[in-house]
Amino acid sequence: MAATSAHQSIMLRFLTSLFGRKPGSAAAGAAAPDLPRPETTTYVVGDLHGRADLLELILELIDAHIGGSGARDPQLVFIGDYIDHGPDSAGVLTRLRELTRDFPENVTCLMGDHERMLLDFLADPAQRGPRWLRAGGAETLTGYRIDADDLTANAPPEAWDKAAARLAAALTQETRDWLEGLPLSWSSGNLWAVHAGADPSRPMDDQTARVLLWGHPEFDSAPRGDEAWIAHGHVPRDTPEARDGRIALDTGAWSTGRLTAAAIKPDGTHAFLQT
C-alpha cells in the first residue's frame, strides 16, 4: 500500500508540472488560414487500446515538449478507444479518470466506438456481447480477471449476463458513469477532435453520434466547405498524417508500440510525438 501511495504522489507531481504552468500570451505571428489553429497549444493523443505503459511514455513526451516550447495553459485531448486489444485497459481507464478529475480545465477524454461497445454490452449482454468480443473486448474482460473462454456465439444468455455483472462490479459505478458521460467531440478555434471522423457535407456542430464514433465513407475523400481541421483516430495507419483538414493519429499502438500525439500550436504549426 505504501508503494502505491508513493507512486500516486509521484504521478500527481508530474501532472502538476504538466499543467501547472500559468497562462501566458501565445506566440506572436500571423496564422495561416489553411492550418489548424486552436486557441492554445493542444496535444491530441491517438487510440490507446489498453496500453497503459505507452500512456505514461506519451505523457513524458508531452511534458518535455511543453517545457521546450514554452506552451502556456496547454490542452490535452484523448481521442477515444482506451480499451480492448491491449493488456491493461483497466490501468488506462484509471489513469485517464485521474487526469480528468485532477485537471478538468485542461484534459478532455472523448468516447470511442470501443467504449460505446462496452457500455452496450453492459446494457444488453447477450445481444451486444459477441460483437464486442470480436472487436477486442475479450482482452478487456481478461484484464479484469473475467474468463471469456466460454463466451462463444452459442453461449446461453445467462453466461453473458454473468460476465456483464462481473465487469460492472469490477469497473465500479463511478467509472461506468464517467464512460457514459464522455463527450463525442471537442473544439478550439478551427480545430476539432473526434474519434472516427465527420460527414464533410454537414457542419461540425451538426454531426451524428454514429458518424463521430464510427466514421463516414466520404470523410477521407470529400473536401469540407469550412476551415475546420479534424484530429481523429479509429483507423490504424503506419504513420500519422496532417493534410486536407484531417489529422490522423491512430498508429496501432496496441500492436506496434507506437502511440502518437499531435502537438498543435495556435499559429498552425504542429509536430508529431511518438513513443
Side-chain angles (χ1 to χ4, degrees):
M1 183 66 70
T4 300
S5 299
H7 175 74
Q8 291 174 340
S9 176
I10 292 171
M11 182 193 73
L12 183 58
R13 289 200 302 272
F14 166 69
L15 294 176
T16 300
S17 171
L18 192 64
F19 295 114
R21 299 175 174 90
K22 295 182 179 180
S25 59
D34 58 346
L35 294 173
R37 303 184 309 278
E39 294 175 359
T40 62
T41 298
T42 299
Y43 298 85
V44 186
V45 181
D47 304 36
L48 282 154
H49 280 305
R51 292 298 302 265
D53 55 338
L54 301 183
L55 173 56
E56 295 292 343
L57 292 177
I58 205 70
L59 287 174
E60 293 176 3
L61 292 175
I62 290 171
D63 185 49
H65 190 273
I66 291 173
S69 65
R72 301 292 180 174
D73 195 30
Q75 293 294 309
L76 178 55
V77 183
F78 293 92
I79 218 158
D81 279 9
Y82 312 123
I83 62 169
D84 300 346
H85 294 306
D88 195 5
S89 294
V92 171
L93 292 182
T94 296
R95 184 56 52 91
L96 293 181
R97 279 195 63 205
E98 291 170 340
L99 280 166
T100 54
R101 178 197 66 201
D102 294 337
F103 303 97
E105 301 301 318
N106 295 87
V107 180
T108 301
C109 292
L110 303 181
M111 183 181 289
D113 60 294
H114 284 258
E115 287 73 54
R116 183 70 266 164
M117 285 190 284
L118 179 150
L119 293 170
D120 290 344
F121 164 67
L122 293 177
D124 191 355
Q127 290 297 315
R128 301 300 187 96
R131 181 188 189 186
W132 179 48
L133 261 64
R134 289 195 301 270
E139 287 80 4
T140 296
L141 290 176
T142 300
Y144 281 102
R145 299 183 180 179
I146 300 168
D147 187 3
D149 290 343
D150 295 332
L151 296 177
T152 65
N154 297 322
E158 294 78 11
W160 293 101
D161 291 342
K162 181 179 179 181
R166 291 189 61 192
L167 178 59
L171 280 173
T172 74
Q173 188 62 47
E174 291 78 10
T175 299
R176 187 172 176 178
D177 291 343
W178 180 79
L179 288 168
E180 291 276 11
L182 294 178
L184 299 179
S185 66
W186 172 95
S187 65
S188 176
N190 73 338
L191 175 66
W192 287 76
V194 304
H195 175 63
D199 182 343
S201 69
R202 302 179 68 169
M204 285 304 299
D205 57 4
D206 188 32
Q207 299 285 324
T208 67
R210 180 173 182 80
V211 165
L212 295 175
L213 287 173
W214 296 94
H216 189 276
E218 297 180 350
F219 174 62
D220 287 329
S221 57
R224 296 194 59 81
D226 54 26
E227 293 185 357
W229 276 75
I230 304 168
H232 67 96
H234 188 59
V235 178
R237 59 183 65 216
D238 292 335
T239 58
E241 184 178 66
R243 62 188 298 267
D244 300 329
R246 294 176 291 270
I247 305 172
L249 293 169
D250 184 1
T251 46
W254 71 273
S255 60
T256 66
R258 297 191 302 271
L259 176 63
T260 300
I264 309 164
K265 295 183 178 181
D267 65 1
T269 58
H270 73 274
F272 290 119
L273 312 179
Q274 194 170 82
T275 59

